[in-house]
């Protein structure tokens, strides 16, 4: 400000303006909220919980700022004050003690939520606490565990089938190999005995094998170059084969004939 003198004189002043919030917003309940929009909810807890168990948490919001936006929670109505407690600042509802057989199965709690304005505005939320048996409380988790166990059993079953199939194929392969080896051995023995039939040497011959020795039953004719084995009582003829192995030949019907050289 200045005057009209000569010279003019002036002075300054500083003015600070504070804008105060007006508490004109009611707290809004965020949880619990029912399907129809009312602040109501149902919570189920097992009967065997201990003291300090968290039942639920009431959530609210206030659009005012500063002190007017600070919210406080309190129990306006409760069926049993010895069972539940409510945190004044967080809105958490917890059990104070364990449940007994004489306690009711259902409890109603009305929570008052108010702001911190000079003229407080408030809202209420209703929580219905149902105390159920442990089997009912954990029914959903039991179903989930049952499904998981069934999936694990199916995996184990398929694994057993796979291992069994591999084992059966392995056993079949071993059996086939053994049969093939036996067939080859039989074919070799038959071929070896057939090679001993020299043309015109023996007639009516019957061949067989016993261990490492091979025997031939022959008729009355013998080939030149064959000899009777010493000490054989003239009924065993030894014939050299193509592979330098001796073959014993049993003679029948020739006991009275002299040995040939």
């Amino acid at each position: 400000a200045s005057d009209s003198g000569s010279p003019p004189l002036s002075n300054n002043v500083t003015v600070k303006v504070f804008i105060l919030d007006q508490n004109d917003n009611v707290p809004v309940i965020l949880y619990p909220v029912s399907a129809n929009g009312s602040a109501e909810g149902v919570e189920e807890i097992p009967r065997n919980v201990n003291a300090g168990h968290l039942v639920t948490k009431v959530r609210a919001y206030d659009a005012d700022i500063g002190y007017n936006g600070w919210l406080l929670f309190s129990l306006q109505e409760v069926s049993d004050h010895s069972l539940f407690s409510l945190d004044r600042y967080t809105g958490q509802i917890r059990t104070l003690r364990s449940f007994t057989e004489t306690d009711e199965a259902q409890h109603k709690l009305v929570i008052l939520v108010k702001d911190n304005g000079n003229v407080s505005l408030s809202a209420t939320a209703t929580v219905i606490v149902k105390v159920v048996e442990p089997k009912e409380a954990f029914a959903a988790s039991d179903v989930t565990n049952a499904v998981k166990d069934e999936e694990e059993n199916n995996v184990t079953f398929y694994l057993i089938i796979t291992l069994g199939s591999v084992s059966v194929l392995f056993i079949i392969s071993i059996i086939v190999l053994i049969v093939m080896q036996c067939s080859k051995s039989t074919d070799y023995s038959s071929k070896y005995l057939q090679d001993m039939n020299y043309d015109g040497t023996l007639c009516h011959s019957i061949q067989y094998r016993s261990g490492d020795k091979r025997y031939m039953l022959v008729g009355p004719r013998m080939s030149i170059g064959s000899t009777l084995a010493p000490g054989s009582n003239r009924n065993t003829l030894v014939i050299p084969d193509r592979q330098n192995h001796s073959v014993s030949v049993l003679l029948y019907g020739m006991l009275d004939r002299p040995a040939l050289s």
Side-chain angles (χ1 to χ4, degrees), residues 188-208:
Y188 175 79
S189 300
S190 300
K191 182 178 179 181
Y192 185 82
L193 292 176
Q194 290 175 2
D195 290 342
M196 293 175 56
N197 292 330
Y198 302 100
D199 296 336
T201 58
L202 298 173
C203 61
H204 304 291
S205 62
I206 301 175
Q207 305 172 11
Y208 67 94

Side-chain angles (χ1 to χ4, degrees), residues 36-192:
N36 58 8
S38 61
E40 295 180 358
V42 178
E43 300 292 335
E44 292 185 353
I45 60 174
R47 184 176 290 274
N48 59 351
V49 296
N50 297 323
H53 176 77
L54 177 62
V55 178
T56 187
K57 180 179 179 179
V58 179
R59 298 181 179 88
Y61 168 76
D62 195 317
D64 294 321
I65 60 175
Y67 288 102
N68 294 331
W70 289 8
L71 299 178
L72 298 176
F73 301 85
S74 61
L75 283 173
Q76 186 179 34
E77 180 183 343
V78 59
S79 57
D80 191 343
H81 290 277
S82 66
L83 275 177
F84 303 100
S85 66
L86 176 66
D87 190 281
R88 180 178 177 84
Y89 301 102
T90 63
Q92 292 182 349
I93 301 175
R94 294 182 180 272
T95 57
L96 290 174
R97 60 175 176 83
S98 300
F99 290 93
T100 62
E101 296 296 333
T102 58
D103 291 328
E104 298 292 335
Q106 181 171 309
H107 301 270
K108 179 180 179 180
L109 287 76
V110 179
I111 294 90
L112 177 65
V113 183
K114 64 179 181 179
D115 57 25
N116 203 30
N118 291 329
V119 179
S120 297
L121 301 177
S122 63
T124 58
T126 302
V127 177
I128 305 298
V129 180
K130 292 184 178 181
V131 182
V132 297
E133 297 301 326
K135 291 183 179 179
E136 298 176 9
F138 298 105
S141 61
D142 291 341
V143 172
T144 303
N145 293 334
V147 173
K148 184 177 180 180
D149 293 339
E150 184 177 357
E151 293 177 353
E152 293 178 354
N153 292 335
N154 290 337
V155 172
T156 304
F157 176 74
Y158 293 138
L159 181 60
I160 292 175
I161 290 179
T162 303
L163 293 177
S165 301
V166 172
S167 301
V168 170
L169 291 176
F170 178 77
I171 294 174
I172 292 176
S173 301
I174 295 298
I175 293 175
V176 170
L177 290 176
I178 293 175
V179 171
M180 292 178 62
Q181 291 296 330
C182 293
S183 299
K184 289 182 179 180
S185 177
T186 303
D187 294 339
Y188 175 79
S189 300
S190 300
K191 182 178 179 181
Y192 185 82

